[in-house]
Structures are given as C-alpha cells and as structure tokens.
Amino acid sequence: MDKRVPLTELTAVRPSVVGTGEEHRGQIERLEGSAVAAALRTGLSADQLSAEQTYFNDIYLLAPVGYFVLGFDTTILQMNVVGADVLGVPRSNPARLPLRQFVAARFHDDFDAMVRNALNTNQAQQCGVQICRHPDEQGFAATLRASADASSQAIRVVLELAEGKLAALERSEERFRRIVHTAEEGIWEIDAKARTSFVNPKMASMLGYAIEEMLGQALVAFMDEEGRGILEQNIARRQRGVAERHEFKFLRKDGSELWTSLVTNPIYDADGAYLGALALVTDVTADRANSELIWQKANYDALTALPNRHMFHDRLNYEVRKAQREGLQLALLFIDLDDFKQVNDTLGHEQGDCVLIEAARRISNCVRTSDTVARLGGDEFTVILSGLEQTTGIERIAQNMLGQLTRPFLLETGVPSISASIGIALYPSDGHAPEELLRNADQAMYAAKSGGSNRYSYFTAELQQAAQQRLQTTLDLRGALVAQQFELHYQPIVNLATGKIERAEALLRWRHPERGLLAPAEFLSQAESGGMMLEVGDWVFRHAARQAQQWQQAYGSEFQISVNFSAAQLRGDPALYSGWCDYVQQLKLSPHSIVIEIKESVLADGVTRVVERLRCLREMGLQVALDNFGNGHASLSHLKQFGIDQLKLDRSFLADIVTDSGELAMCEALVVMAHKLGLRVVAEGVETAAQCSLLRLTGCDFVQGYVYAGALTPAQFEQLCAAGLPELDHF
C-alpha cells in the first residue's frame, strides 16, 4: 500500500512551504527580516545572531529559486541547491567564484548597477540578465533581485529562471514531497498553541498513528505527566527564540515509550510573532536501552541485582558527604559468609549462586529501604546504614543478620547451613574518608572471623594496629627471599621399632631483621594472601631436598624429610612440580626421599582438582602424608581416594591415651585400619615416655614430639643424631 501523502494534502497542511513563486519570494524576504528582528529583540550577541541567520538560511536551501549571499565583490559566500545547480558549481564554492562571472558580458553594466543600488538603498533591486555557465555558451535568461543584508556586510540575491514560475514550483514541490516521504527522521510541526500542524509519514509511523489522527492534536496528547512539565519549559524557551537539541520521551499509541532526539527551532511571522516550532525527530529508543543496559551492568551485580563495587563506592562517598553536611553518623558493615567455599565445592557453583542470591535477600530484609546493600564480589557484602542520630540500633541489625544467615538454605541438592562474620566501622569515630571506613570495616570483619566466625566485631585502634602489622609483614615478605632471611628447622621423627631417627619434618622459620625468629603462624597467612606461597613453597622444597641429600649420605638412603604443602600450592601451576622432579634428579636423590604433608582441610578444596594435583606428585615418586588426621573432616575413604601414603595422627588423639582406655582403643583401631590400607602411621605431639610406650603397643610406626626434641637447626639436628637419643624410662 502506498503510504505517501498526496501533494494536495501537503499543500493544505504546509502553506508556508508550498505556494506560488511570488508568494515564496515574499516569504523568504519576510523570514529574513523576522530572523534579524527576533534576534535583535532578544538581545543576542554577534555569534548568536550569526547562528540565527544560519538557521534561517537553511530555510532557503530547498527554495524553488536560486538564492545567493554575496560579498561586496559579488563573491558567492552561500548558495542554495537550485542556485548551485543553475551555475553548475559545488554549493560550497571552493573556487570562491563571483556571481558576476556567470553574467553574460553584455549585461555587466545592468548587473553592476543593480548591486550598487541595492547597497545604497533600502529597496530591492531587479534586473534581467543572461546566465552563462561557460564564456562560450549562449546561456539562459533569468531575473535577479538583490537587496542588502540586514547586517550591511553582504548582498542577498534571488535568481529566477525565465522558464516559468510554474515549472520551478513543480520541481520544488516534487523535491519537497520526495524528501518528506523518504526521510529517515520524523518531521513534526506545531502551531503557536502547541497543536500538531504537520507530520511526515515517518513521524506518524514512529508513534503508531495515521497522519490524520495526529493533525490538530495537542502535543501533550503524546506525553506523560513528566513530559508535560518539561514541555511548558521548552515552549517558553522556543518563544524566546532558543533553538534546542535534546532527548525527549513520547508515548506511542499502544502506550509504550518512544525516546527521541529532537532538534527544535522556532518559527516567526514577518513581524517577529511566534507561530510555532519545527522539529526533526530521531528514534533513539534502542540506543537509550543499550545505554541503560551498559549502565546497569557497570553499576549492578548481575547475580544478586545489588549495587556492585563501583556503585557502592559512589554511594559511600555520597553518604559520607551527606553525614558530614548534616552532622549525622553513618555505619558501614562488611559481611563475609563463613564456609561458603564448601557449598561451592560440595554442591556446585550453581547451587552456590542460589545461596548468594538468598543471602542478598536476607541481608536486604534486615535494613531500611533507604540503606544501601551491595555485593563487592564473591561472598562479600557491604551495608551502609546512613543518617544515624545514634548507634544503639546497629547491634540489633547485626544480630538479626547473623540470625537470618544461619538459617538453613533450602536448595535442590542439599540444605547447607552457613554463617557470617560482620565488621562494623562508624563515621566519624572510625574514619572520615570513605576508603578509611571500608578498610577499617574490613579489618573488623577479619577480627570477627578470627574470633570464631558467626559474630560481629566493631573496629578498634588495636585492630588497626594489627592490620598495619599484617601489611608491613606482607611488604617485608617480598624482600625476605632475596635477603635469604628464611631458614628450615627440623623436628626428628623416630621409628618406634628401632628407636632411631629415620625422618624429619622441615619447619619454616623467618629470621626477621627487626622482629627476630618468626614461626609460620606469624607470616604464612600474609604470604598466602599476598600471592607468595608458590615462591615460598618452592624455596622450602629445594632446601629440604638438598638437606635430604646430605643426610642420606650420613644416615642412610632411606632417610626422609617431609615438607608442608598448602591449599594455595595445590591451586598453583602444575608446571612447578615438574621443576621439582628435575631438581631431585639433578641431586641424584630418590623422589620418595621427600614426603609432601597436606592437612585434612585441603581435601575439601575441590575434589577433582586435589585428586589431579596429588596424582601428579605421586607420579613423580613423592610420598603424600595426611597431617593432623582426626582434627578435620577427612574420612578413611578419603585415604584411598587421594592416594595417601602416610597418616599423621593429631595430638588430640594422644592427650588422654594414658588415662582413658577408650582413647587408647580408638588410637589402636585407627592404626590397625591404616595398616590394612597399606599406610604407615606417625603420631605427632608426643610429649611423654608413657605415650611412647602405649603407641608402640598399638603398632604405631613413628612418633614425633617434644619427648625427643622440638624443631632444631641443621647443626643441632646433626648433634642429636651423633649423640643418640636418650633412653626413655617406659621403653
């Protein structure tokens, strides 16, 4: 179906554009005068006046007659489409050609007189000439009408071909109809009362109406309440002669939103009275939706729909400034879910995501709608409690959160129970800067987690001091390897059957230049959080391997040294292990000389990954020992699944074996089952001769503890081996 508007309809709705040739000339002259008049009335500057005139010059662009703006030497400064077509030159006139050049020589006197008179009088001047594109052409007749520009800095000339006004008018009408119907933008004209006086087919289609449904309708009929308020301001500005470009929302016929980019210009009559406005309308709904989507992704967490880290920092900055301005307090809560990693490892990441979504909902239900709940990433959340006159209600909120988060989570594949650790920092007592508050709330959370989890902790000066100490330790660690500040001490492991030292556990020490000799508990957590565990672990393995080589030469080829292996090392690059294999071969050392000790908690660090990494270690010939057995969550079935070679009984099994027969029976049962699985058993933490005697009766293979010696330097270890172990009374 042809949706074009008939020419007669265009004439009816847009008489200011389509009319007789004489009417058109008059309209051009009136519009020109009204542009200058309106600009002068509104007190525009020279630049603004130039911009206004440029706009009205655009009206001449599609006029059915030639239109020129000339310099005093008749150089063509501007021309419209018809003018450029008549002369056969580019509309920008790059050659700076004068119009006089296109006038046949025999008409030069008439042309010069017209220009001279136009500059010296207020009346328009006219003359008939012959226009020639080239000097050797006969050319064609035309009528020129000239008048001085209102600025007195140029001459305006209208050129009308002698072929007849009707033919030029028909061409103009056809061009106008073609442009209006094929335009990719909407064209919308309103009258002085903001009623629709003209729309093109594209504009009607964008709103879902037929053209006749829109004509005569008030502009507010296509807007919501918000738009109507904006419209009143816009109309007032247009009546003052302000041309605008802005985005605006309309309502389609079906009620949906149409976001548009509007280029709006006012229309005046010859006397400068406001007649209405004309707008060029572009549909930007899709672009705006994409922009909103990009903004949403940049500021909100995709999983929980909570503000993300970026939005949280913006909110915190705003709330701190507001609290400072209004003299109020603010509380920042830093929330970390306890044992959430086990949910991911045992039930899968999809179920873990369900827990995070539900946790976000529960946390949000504990605070006001005016407060901010955000997810920083992983299982970390923050809450900004703003506008507080007093802080008495903070503890109630924190306790409520802890209670909500300890309730079981009903999932498809299980019902896990988790808890949370909450750190609380207050503005202004705990910090004035947003970054300081966040850092202090994080440290308070760390203290809550260290205190046993499922609790909250306020920030204190002591926490800050501890945090600074941890930071300094991390910085010092980076130079410890280079400065050769690490040492390995060794605790003997004694064969109960022979009473000889046949093994040793390598224990890392850091000889800090200021703090003295540090045990692993004082720095390993900082090494892990600082991403240095792989480097430290590699140093320990290589030094232990060199020591094993020396002591095998002294004490026999079966001598073994065990080294501790962390979860961070299991998560590291497997290429590191192959480097160890090459190093052991360079030392001409049997791989089984080194025993890798892992804790029970490591077995929960992703079953598939652990099995794969332990398999790599055992294929190299290294042995694997499970440390602190009985103090975690490992079962006997894990021992076979993970390829464990040795079992180290936790000291908690040994504390009461002398006085409690039940504990002794439990210990004996574990030894028997381990032997059935082909494992050797080491009892660690042995402190008395009586414990040694009972362990030997249970069939335990090795013992380790202060009953013989603590951690020794290599020189002390060698002295002990040379002197021999003391005789124990209960042996």
Side-chain angles (χ1 to χ4, degrees):
M1 179 181 295
D2 189 353
K3 296 184 179 180
R4 294 176 298 174
V5 181
L7 182 59
T8 54
E9 182 177 338
L10 287 177
T11 305
V13 300
R14 187 69 184 274
S16 62
V17 176
V18 181
T20 65
E22 192 65 33
E23 288 171 343
H24 200 97
R25 282 196 305 274
Q27 289 166 2
I28 290 175
E29 292 167 358
R30 289 195 300 274
L31 285 171
E32 176 184 317
S34 65
V36 176
L40 294 174
R41 282 199 310 274
T42 55
L44 297 178
S45 65
D47 289 342
Q48 291 171 318
L49 177 60
S50 175
E52 287 292 324
Q53 287 183 323
T54 299
Y55 160 65
F56 281 98
N57 287 342
D58 289 344
I59 292 179
Y60 310 143
L61 183 63
L62 301 178
V65 294
Y67 185 82
F68 304 88
V69 177
L70 309 181
F72 291 154
D73 60 354
T74 78
T75 297
I76 301 172
L77 305 177
Q78 288 180 295
M79 67 182 114
N80 68 351
V81 173
V82 169
D85 184 57
V86 168
L87 301 183
V89 297
R91 199 164 65 85
S92 60
N93 190 22
R96 308 296 291 172
L97 301 173
L99 181 62
R100 189 175 189 273
Q101 173 180 317
F102 297 92
V103 176
R106 63 182 183 277
F107 293 98
H108 279 177
D109 290 343
D110 294 340
F111 176 81
D112 293 340
M114 179 192 70
V115 171
R116 186 169 53 254
N117 292 335
L119 289 172
N120 294 320
T121 66
N122 293 327
Q123 301 297 320
Q125 304 296 310
Q126 176 178 325
C127 72
V129 298
Q130 195 81 5
I131 298 296
C132 302
R133 293 185 177 181
H134 302 287
D136 55 351
E137 288 184 353
Q138 182 178 356
F140 41 85
T143 299
L144 301 180
R145 292 180 176 82
S147 60
D149 183 83
S151 66
S152 300
Q153 301 298 314
I155 306 168
R156 296 180 182 265
V157 176
V158 176
L159 181 154
E160 185 176 319
L161 297 177
E163 65 179 350
K165 300 175 182 178
L166 182 60
L169 179 60
E170 288 177 347
R171 284 202 313 274
S172 174
E173 288 178 336
E174 175 60 26
R175 181 184 296 112
F176 175 71
R177 186 174 67 83
R178 184 171 61 250
I179 292 172
V180 168
H181 279 269
T182 60
E184 288 298 320
E185 289 79 22
I187 301 173
W188 197 340
E189 183 186 70
I190 60 171
D191 61 19
K193 295 182 178 180
R195 292 189 302 255
T196 302
S197 55
F198 173 79
V199 291
N200 71 337
K202 178 66 176 181
M203 186 69 252
S205 173
M206 287 163 59
L207 288 171
Y209 290 94
I211 291 178
E212 55 271 19
E213 290 180 299
M214 294 186 64
L215 294 177
Q217 292 293 320
L219 192 58
V220 295
F222 308 99
M223 301 176 182
D224 58 14
E225 287 296 330
E226 179 186 7
R228 292 168 187 170
I230 298 174
L231 174 65
E232 294 179 2
Q233 302 173 12
N234 289 348
I235 289 179
R237 285 197 296 270
R238 284 196 291 271
Q239 289 176 342
R240 294 196 302 269
V242 180
E244 294 182 310
R245 177 187 292 273
H246 58 273
E247 286 193 0
F248 197 86
K249 180 182 70 176
F250 293 100
L251 296 180
R252 295 189 177 98
K253 186 176 182 180
D254 62 7
S256 61
E257 296 180 350
L258 171 69
W259 280 96
T260 65
S261 174
L262 295 177
V263 180
T264 310
N265 288 281
I267 301 174
Y268 301 96
D269 64 12
D271 298 323
Y274 176 72
L275 296 178
L278 182 67
L280 189 65
V281 185
T282 304
D283 184 353
V284 296
T285 305
D287 293 339
R288 189 179 181 90
N290 289 335
S291 298
E292 289 180 353
L293 180 60
I294 293 172
W295 183 87
Q296 184 78 15
K297 289 182 177 180
N299 291 280
Y300 285 86
D301 175 49
L303 179 65
T304 63
L306 294 176
N308 62 11
R309 183 181 293 272
H310 178 265
M311 175 64 80
F312 161 74
H313 283 290
D314 283 349
R315 294 272 182 91
L316 183 59
N317 279 307
Y318 170 79
E319 293 296 349
V320 167
R321 290 195 301 269
K322 181 180 177 182
Q324 183 179 24
R325 184 172 61 251
E326 299 178 0
L328 298 174
Q329 298 185 74
L330 176 151
L332 177 61
L333 278 62
F334 197 110
I335 305 165
D336 184 87
L337 302 183
D338 303 323
D339 300 322
F340 174 73
K341 190 175 185 304
Q342 292 187 13
V343 177
N344 274 340
D345 291 340
T346 57
L347 301 180
H349 289 276
E350 184 176 348
Q351 296 299 299
D353 288 347
C354 293
V355 169
L356 292 174
I357 294 170
E358 176 61 15
R361 188 190 68 80
R362 295 183 186 184
I363 294 172
S364 299
N365 287 341
C366 295
V367 299
R368 303 165 299 181
T369 55
S370 58
D371 297 322
T372 297
V373 180
R375 181 188 178 209
L376 299 189
D379 59 349
E380 293 181 341
F381 297 86
T382 54
V383 176
I384 304 172
L385 303 177
S386 57
L388 301 178
E389 295 183 358
Q390 52 186 2
T391 60
T392 54
I394 297 175
E395 291 189 17
R396 176 185 55 79
I397 293 173
Q399 289 171 349
N400 190 20
M401 285 182 184
L402 292 176
Q404 291 293 321
L405 292 172
T406 53
R407 288 170 39 218
F409 289 76
L410 302 178
L411 305 179
E412 294 179 358
T413 58
V415 187
S417 293
I418 62 174
S419 59
S421 299
I422 302 177
I424 305 172
L426 303 177
Y427 172 88
S429 58
D430 294 333
H432 289 78
E435 299 79 8
E436 185 181 9
L437 279 175
L438 180 60
R439 184 171 60 251
N440 292 344
D442 185 20
Q443 294 305 321
M445 182 278 295
Y446 183 89
K449 191 174 288 289
S450 299
S453 303
N454 193 29
R455 63 185 64 200
Y456 64 87
S457 174
Y458 282 94
F459 176 79
T460 65
E462 291 76 14
L463 289 177
Q464 176 64 16
Q465 185 177 3
Q468 291 175 345
Q469 181 65 61
R470 288 194 295 272
L471 176 61
Q472 187 60 50
T473 299
T474 301
L475 296 176
D476 292 346
L477 272 169
R478 300 190 181 281
L481 282 172
V482 177
Q484 298 182 356
Q485 295 171 0
F486 288 127
E487 300 176 4
L488 284 183
H489 291 194
Y490 298 88
Q491 186 172 31
I493 300 177
V494 178
N495 187 323
L496 277 176
T498 65
K500 294 182 179 180
I501 301 174
E502 296 183 1
R503 302 180 179 185
E505 179 180 356
L507 300 170
L508 181 63
R509 298 291 185 267
W510 180 12
R511 194 167 294 279
H512 194 281
E514 297 175 359
R515 299 167 59 191
L517 193 65
L518 303 181
E522 299 178 81
F523 62 87
L524 276 190
S525 60
Q526 279 71 51
E528 184 162 355
S529 62
M532 296 184 60
M533 277 306 301
L534 295 183
E535 297 173 74
V536 173
D538 184 60
W539 184 92
V540 170
F541 181 90
R542 293 175 184 272
H543 278 70
R546 283 203 299 269
Q547 190 65 71
Q549 179 194 43
Q550 295 176 19
W551 285 345
Q552 281 189 2
Q553 294 173 358
Y555 310 127
S557 60
E558 297 301 317
F559 193 91
Q560 288 183 323
I561 292 181
S562 59
V563 296
N564 292 285
F565 205 72
S566 69
Q569 289 171 278
L570 273 179
R571 292 192 296 266
D573 188 355
L576 180 67
Y577 311 149
S578 60
W580 289 353
C581 186
D582 295 340
Y583 186 70
V584 169
Q585 290 177 356
Q586 291 174 15
L587 296 176
K588 297 181 180 180
L589 190 67
S590 172
H592 77 268
S593 304
I594 305 297
V595 179
I596 301 296
E597 291 194 10
I598 62 173
K599 296 186 182 298
E600 286 186 71
S601 58
V602 172
L603 301 185
D605 191 23
V607 174
T608 303
R609 175 181 294 176
V610 172
V611 170
E612 177 64 23
R613 297 297 167 85
L614 293 181
R615 183 184 62 80
C616 291
L617 294 172
R618 298 189 81 244
E619 286 180 353
M620 291 167 49
L622 303 176
Q623 291 194 339
V624 178
L626 186 61
D627 196 13
N628 301 117
F629 182 77
N631 192 34
H633 305 284
S635 64
L636 290 173
S637 62
H638 282 133
L639 305 181
K640 210 63 179 172
Q641 178 185 3
F642 290 95
I644 304 299
D645 299 292
Q646 299 179 20
L647 196 66
K648 300 191 74 173
L649 296 180
D650 187 70
R651 65 180 65 244
S652 61
F653 276 109
L654 312 180
D656 300 320
I657 62 171
V658 176
T659 59
D660 189 335
S661 59
E663 290 291 330
L664 179 60
M666 175 67 74
C667 187
E668 183 178 12
L670 288 175
V671 172
V672 171
M673 285 189 288
H675 286 169
K676 290 289 186 181
L677 294 172
L679 279 63
R680 307 292 293 275
V681 180
V682 180
E684 54 185 348
V686 181
E687 297 181 354
T688 67
Q691 289 175 327
C692 275
S693 297
L694 292 175
L695 287 169
R696 184 171 56 177
L697 293 175
T698 64
C700 184
D701 303 295
F702 297 91
V703 294
Q704 172 183 353
Y706 284 105
V707 65
Y708 290 114
L712 306 173
T713 64
Q716 292 171 335
F717 189 93
E718 292 170 359
Q719 289 174 4
L720 179 63
C721 290
L725 294 175
E727 292 290 335
L728 299 179
D729 295 340
H730 290 273
F731 258 53

